[in-house]
């Protein structure tokens, strides 16, 4: 009962970002699973004060503050990326928690390994909710902010960031961006980084258990293919990272006034990073699946050979009498079924996922770069392409 209750709460429902949200009473029990409150809070904390302060600056005569509303990068980060990171928690945390519980509920973990499984769960929960992680991410966020501020120049930052020509003479929206909005983004990223690191660790511990895998399982992974659904938990993360990077690329194009192809390399890097984060943990099972496949081949191969030999002896012997009754024999369907089972053993994959599982992830990572791509293509060419499709 205690184990079920733990998973009802969500094994991976923790980390620095959620700890800060609880401390600020953005999420409170029993409504911790409701996403509307933290979603609205992320916008009200990260973007609305920036917009309000920029408007106030314009009203007070600082016309440079108008550039805030044409700053694609900052608006993309705090109107899209930050809410996407919050949505990713609501979408991904229950999935990762359910997958971790499935190792036990599906019978993959045998009675001899239940205690080791419970130990992995307990240590994962303890590390995820550790106060040290919350404090370290708080300090790290402001160390990063401090380093960034010390290296700021008015040439490499938008005009709305500054109140005057002096060094570190930040405007009110610039101060809020530096000391509130950016740390909010970093806390959410740190929360996901810590959660995914512990997901890797949890799967590594599962890979060391004597899992009760089935060589002939139709998923071609001994019954482990269910972990491939964890890739879905990374889709909104990929979209958020893509939005953040693509916004910067679009800003650079608008600033330079000419299109460039740097966005292509940026899109490839974002997609590659997300593939590593999503599929990397599943590689923990490579050694187990390879050994498992070899063991299955040595067990099922002789069975298939022996049965095939008996089949040929019965039906391919030249002295055998073949007539219409052969069409009613069950031997042929039995052989077909056996070969299908043995074929599953020989088709066991090295990893518990298929490359097609990565396609939605790559699409999510690349989708935000479409505006940058359109900026490099003349409008006339786009209209001609559309006309060719229509006509």
């Amino acid at each position: 009962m205690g184990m079920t209750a733990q998973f009802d709460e969500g094994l991976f429902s923790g980390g620095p970002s959620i700890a800060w949200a609880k401390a600020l009473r953005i999420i409170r029990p029993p409504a911790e699973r409701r996403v509307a409150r933290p979603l609205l809070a992320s916008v009200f904390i990260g973007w609305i004060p920036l917009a309000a302060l920029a408007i106030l600056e314009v009203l007070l005569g600082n016309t440079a503050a108008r550039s805030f509303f044409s700053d694609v990068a900052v608006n993309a980060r705090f109107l899209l990326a930050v809410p996407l990171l919050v949505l990713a928690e609501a979408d991904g945390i229950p999935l990762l928690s359910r997958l971790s519980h499935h190792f036990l509920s599906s019978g993959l973990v045998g009675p001899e390994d239940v205690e080791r499984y419970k130990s992995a769960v307990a240590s994962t929960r303890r590390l995820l909710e550790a106060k040290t992680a919350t404090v370290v991410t708080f300090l790290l966020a402001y160390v990063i902010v401090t380093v960034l501020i010390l290296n700021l120049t008015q040439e490499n930052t938008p005009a709305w960031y500054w109140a005057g020509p002096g060094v570190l003479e930040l405007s009110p929206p610039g101060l809020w961006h530096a000391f509130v909005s950016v740390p909010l983004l970093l806390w959410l990223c740190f929360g996901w980084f810590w959660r995914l690191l512990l997901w890797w660790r949890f799967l590594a511990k599962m890979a060391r258990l004597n899992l009760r895998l089935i060589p002939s399982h139709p998923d071609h992974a001994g019954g482990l293919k269910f972990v491939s659904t964890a890739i879905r938990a990374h889709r909104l993360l990929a979209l958020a990272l893509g939005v953040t990077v693509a916004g910067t690329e679009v800003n650079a194009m608008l600033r330079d006034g000419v299109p460039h192809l740097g966005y292509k390399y940026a899109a490839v890097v974002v997609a590659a990073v997300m593939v590593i984060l999503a599929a990397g943990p599943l590689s923990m099972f490579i050694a187990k699946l390879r050994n498992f496949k070899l063991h299955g081949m040595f067990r099922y191969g002789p069975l298939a050979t022996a049965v095939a030999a008996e089949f040929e002896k019965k039906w391919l012997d030249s002295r055998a009498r073949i007539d219409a009754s052969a069409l009613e024999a069950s031997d042929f369907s039995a052989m077909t079924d056996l070969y299908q089972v043995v074929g599953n053993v020989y088709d066991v994959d090295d990893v518990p996922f298929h490359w097609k599982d990565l396609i939605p992830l790559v699409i999510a990572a690349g989708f935000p770069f479409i505006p940058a791509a359109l900026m490099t293509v003349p409008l006339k060419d786009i209209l001609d392409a559309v006309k060719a499709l229509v006509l």
Side-chain angles (χ1 to χ4, degrees):
M1 182 67 180
M3 182 64 66
T4 301
Q6 282 187 328
F7 280 103
D8 286 343
E9 295 170 6
L11 174 59
F12 288 92
S13 182
S17 58
I18 292 181
W20 282 112
K22 290 180 179 178
L24 296 173
R25 296 183 178 274
I26 294 172
I27 56 176
R28 291 178 288 183
E32 291 183 6
R33 294 184 181 178
R34 298 177 185 172
V35 70
R37 187 184 179 98
L39 189 64
L40 291 174
S42 69
V43 177
F44 273 91
I45 295 174
W47 183 81
I48 287 182
L50 288 176
L53 289 171
I55 292 173
L56 182 61
E57 283 290 288
V58 172
L59 294 176
L60 293 176
N62 181 7
T63 56
R66 293 177 180 172
S67 63
F68 169 83
F69 299 98
S70 60
D71 190 329
V72 177
V74 73
N75 286 287
R77 289 189 202 112
F78 300 109
L79 262 181
L80 295 176
V82 167
L84 282 170
L85 289 172
V86 174
L87 287 173
E89 291 182 345
D91 178 59
I93 287 175
L95 179 56
L96 295 182
S97 300
R98 184 177 181 183
L99 292 177
S100 61
H101 190 205
H102 190 71
F103 280 96
L104 182 65
S105 63
S106 66
L108 283 172
V109 177
E112 70 279 5
D113 280 332
V114 168
E115 289 305 317
R116 293 175 64 189
Y117 170 82
K118 290 183 178 180
S119 175
V121 169
S123 62
T124 299
R125 182 178 294 278
R126 183 174 62 253
L127 289 171
L128 191 62
E129 297 178 349
K131 292 183 178 180
T132 303
T134 304
V135 174
V136 168
T137 56
F138 176 84
L139 296 176
L140 184 59
Y142 279 100
V143 167
I144 293 174
V145 166
T146 300
V147 172
L148 291 175
I149 290 177
L150 292 177
N151 288 277
L152 282 180
T153 64
Q154 296 199 18
E155 290 75 23
N156 63 12
T157 49
W160 64 266
Y161 219 78
W162 302 94
V167 178
L168 301 182
E169 204 170 340
L170 300 181
S171 66
L175 288 169
W176 188 275
H177 178 266
F179 293 104
V180 179
S181 298
V182 172
L184 172 64
L185 176 61
L186 291 175
W187 288 334
L188 289 168
C189 291
F190 290 155
W192 265 111
F193 178 78
W194 186 231
R195 186 177 295 113
L196 294 180
L197 187 62
L198 292 178
W199 171 243
W200 280 56
R201 176 181 177 272
F202 179 81
L203 291 186
K205 287 183 173 293
M206 294 300 100
R208 290 196 289 268
L209 298 182
N210 185 27
L211 298 177
R212 295 184 165 187
L213 303 179
I214 307 298
S216 58
H217 200 288
D219 71 355
H220 297 164
L224 277 175
K225 188 67 179 294
F226 72 94
V227 296
S228 67
T229 56
I231 295 174
R232 290 169 43 197
H234 297 72
R235 292 175 301 178
L236 292 180
L237 292 177
L239 194 58
L241 180 59
V243 164
T244 301
V245 177
T248 303
E249 291 296 321
V250 171
N251 253 15
M253 291 185 187
L254 294 174
R255 182 189 64 239
D256 298 339
V258 293
H260 59 80
L261 300 179
Y263 77 92
K264 290 185 177 181
Y265 304 108
V268 170
V269 170
V270 170
V273 167
M274 291 310 307
V275 167
I276 292 172
L277 288 176
L282 308 187
S283 66
M284 298 295 177
F285 296 100
I286 289 178
K288 180 175 285 292
L289 285 173
R290 284 179 175 175
N291 292 333
F292 166 73
K293 178 179 181 178
L294 185 63
H295 178 68
M297 289 168 65
F298 282 127
R299 289 183 63 194
Y300 282 77
L303 171 64
T305 301
V307 173
E310 291 298 322
F311 180 86
E312 290 185 357
K313 185 185 300 183
K314 177 178 180 179
W315 291 101
L316 300 182
D317 192 321
S318 59
R319 293 171 296 177
R321 181 174 178 273
I322 306 298
D323 55 26
S325 63
L327 299 176
E328 301 175 1
S330 61
D331 295 5
F332 298 95
S333 60
M335 284 294 295
T336 300
D337 293 340
L338 173 63
Y339 283 169
Q340 183 175 354
V341 169
V342 176
N344 287 340
V345 177
Y346 281 77
D347 288 338
V348 170
D349 297 320
D350 288 342
V351 289
F353 67 90
H354 193 272
W355 67 268
K356 292 181 180 179
D357 298 327
L358 300 173
I359 293 178
L361 183 74
V362 173
I363 292 175
F367 183 78
F369 290 89
I370 291 178
L374 292 177
M375 291 177 66
T376 65
V377 181
L379 180 60
K380 182 179 182 300
D381 292 349
I382 297 176
L383 294 176
D384 289 343
V386 173
K387 183 186 293 184
L389 290 173
V390 175
L391 302 178

